[in-house]
Amino acid sequence: MLDLRRQYVGLREEILAAIARVCDSQTFILGPEVEALERDIAAFTGSAHAVGCSSGTEALWLALMSTGAGVGSSVITTPFSFLASASSIARTGARPVFADIHPGTLNLDPAKVAEVLTVNSAHDACAILPVHLYGQCANMDEFLRIGKEHSLPVIEDAAQAIGAAWSGRPAGSMGAAAAFSFYPTKNLSAYGDAGMVTTNSPERAEHMGRLRNHGSPRRYYHDELGWNGRLDAIQAAVLRVKLPHVQEWNEARRRHAGCYDRLLAAAGLTGGKAAPLRILERAPQATHIFHQYVVCARDRDALRQHLTDRKIGSEVYYPVPLHLQACFAYLGHREGDFPEAERAAKEVLALPMFPELRDEEIARVVAAIGDFYS
Ligand SMILES: *Cc1c(COP(=O)(O)O)cnc(C)c1O
């Protein structure tokens, strides 16, 4: 599914030297390495500011806090994402309000968000939080338009989307703020937990910078309750070695996706109404970075078992939509509330995808899938 070792062998010397540099400096939390990474990520994402923090989850929380999310407000998001997209909302004290996904891209559907905003359940909305799922940006033109119409900031969950773009605008530069994750499986990955929040607003950046450090504008003075959400220097140093490669790695992922597309179609596995697999829709405005290559599959669970038996990795992102998670039972949702998200949860399967994947490995995956359906 993902072999991180192949990336490591090529960068080993540089990464060990970067870690040694931090050890020699004996500066471990925030400091010059983190500041340098913040500048690099701001430049890479075309944002004015970047604030390093301890994870993508923390980045979402910081971005939401900067919009004033809290008890008595709500934030609209997708029910089909990793838990943190919604748990970060709940952790501010705000209520997650879900809107269904687009059946083609599986991203939050702007039309459904507009619908939610017209009903009473979202009269207290303070932000819209689309997720750039699997590395393809959500429809940001529409979300920004709806946000403007209702005076709501748009927060991008860009955890899966570093290097992605929408109409040529980089993920992380379009919303009021955006959250990135550098969890080891992400397209740009640290050697532990790490995250970053980007914004074009200097006030927001300053606020988030305080919140990640106990709400402290200067040592031992705390104007506002924050938390320890700091980024450490070793992670920043590792990320600085890797960042210059992200573009080429994303291109390799796109090539692999093209290879899957061609081989699956040639095998008759995709393309017709009767075909057992359906590839996700790609918006013409989107520069997709294929954090995951996902198909909707007939007999998904049996196919996955067939692949596992042949020692081929695959994953289900995500088997339970957020509105049906036990931790959100208090929101009072039932099966049937978001049919597209529920259907996606039953059908999606992510196939092996990482930059160092080999063409013959992709061919082997496709052959095994063909074997299952024949
Ligand atoms: C990974 C991920 C997060 C959380 O990032 P962490 O660094 O694991 O906290 C949030 N949202 C999405 C969509 C993710 O994929």
Side-chain angles (χ1 to χ4, degrees):
M1 188 64 191
L2 167 62
D3 183 356
L4 282 170
R5 193 169 291 277
R6 291 187 197 172
Q7 184 187 84
Y8 176 59
V9 294
L11 295 173
R12 191 172 177 278
E13 301 309 314
E14 259 185 285
I15 284 178
L16 294 179
I19 293 173
R21 187 172 73 225
V22 174
C23 295
D24 290 341
S25 80
Q26 291 289 300
T27 298
F28 296 110
I29 305 287
L30 300 177
E33 289 286 348
V34 170
E35 286 162 24
L37 179 70
E38 289 172 340
R39 284 192 297 274
D40 293 349
I41 294 284
F44 185 83
T45 60
S47 312
H49 307 276
V51 177
C53 59
S54 51
S55 69
T57 306
E58 187 70 20
L60 282 168
W61 181 79
L62 289 169
L64 288 162
M65 288 296 283
S66 83
T67 71
V71 174
S73 65
S74 66
V75 176
I76 303 168
T77 193
T78 168
F80 192 63
S81 180
F82 178 61
L83 178 81
S85 305
S87 62
S88 57
I89 296 169
R91 183 157 169 247
T92 68
R95 184 182 179 83
V97 171
F98 298 114
D100 211 353
I101 56 172
H102 184 276
T105 63
L106 310 189
N107 265 320
L108 181 61
D109 187 341
K112 294 286 165 43
V113 171
E115 232 168 77
V116 164
L117 278 166
T118 62
V119 302
N120 211 27
S121 66
H123 68 278
D124 53 1
C126 72
I128 306 170
L129 197 158
V131 178
H132 303 323
L133 194 68
Y134 306 144
Q136 172 167 239
C137 283
N139 187 338
M140 286 303 288
D141 295 323
E142 280 301 295
F143 287 117
L144 292 171
R145 188 188 60 73
I146 295 167
K148 201 165 183 181
E149 190 182 318
H150 294 269
S151 301
L152 294 175
V154 178
I155 304 294
E156 301 171 64
D157 182 341
Q160 305 184 357
I162 189 149
W166 182 264
S167 296
R169 300 175 67 191
S173 69
M174 296 175 276
F180 290 93
S181 165
F182 306 124
Y183 185 77
T185 60
K186 302 289 158 90
N187 286 35
L188 172 61
S189 60
Y191 280 12
D193 274 311
M196 185 79 63
V197 56
T198 55
T199 181
N200 288 318
S201 153
E203 294 80 24
R204 224 180 262 284
E206 204 264 337
H207 188 194
M208 295 189 294
R210 267 186 286 126
L211 284 171
R212 78 166 164 191
N213 197 12
H214 295 293
S216 178
R218 62 192 165 110
R219 223 170 178 190
Y220 306 126
Y221 290 81
H222 308 277
D223 296 355
E224 181 186 8
L225 275 179
W227 202 248
N228 175 359
R230 296 176 302 237
L231 177 58
D232 72 78
I234 286 183
Q235 299 311 330
V238 169
L239 289 164
R240 287 180 69 203
V241 172
K242 291 187 173 197
L243 181 61
H245 299 280
V246 168
Q247 209 77 265
E248 96 208 19
W249 289 336
N250 283 348
E251 265 152 42
R253 287 170 182 270
R254 272 197 288 277
R255 277 200 306 280
H256 300 329
C259 186
Y260 271 121
D261 286 352
R262 280 191 304 280
L263 294 181
L264 288 171
L269 293 164
T270 57
K273 266 255 177 292
L277 302 185
R278 179 167 61 85
I279 58 168
L280 301 190
E281 237 172 82
R282 296 171 196 157
Q285 301 96 322
T287 305
H288 200 323
I289 56 151
F290 293 95
H291 170 60
Q292 298 296 345
Y293 185 89
V294 171
V295 294
C296 289
R298 190 203 298 154
D299 299 328
R300 192 262 321 267
D301 294 335
L303 168 62
R304 185 163 188 224
Q305 189 56 52
H306 174 90
L307 294 176
T308 304
D309 293 344
R310 279 149 192 78
K311 297 194 163 45
I312 294 172
S314 66
E315 268 299 337
V316 174
Y317 304 111
Y318 297 90
V320 182
L322 299 180
H323 66 287
L324 299 179
Q325 291 285 354
C327 64
F328 288 129
Y330 70 94
L331 296 173
H333 287 296
R334 281 183 301 162
E335 194 141 2
D337 282 359
F338 301 104
E340 294 302 340
E342 290 165 24
R343 179 151 60 131
K346 292 189 180 85
E347 293 183 352
V348 289
L349 190 66
L351 303 177
M353 172 57 82
F354 54 98
E356 301 79 12
L357 192 63
R358 299 171 189 129
D359 285 354
E360 62 268 24
E361 291 170 325
I362 296 174
R364 196 156 72 81
V365 175
V366 174
I369 296 172
D371 184 37
F372 173 76
Y373 287 113
S374 68

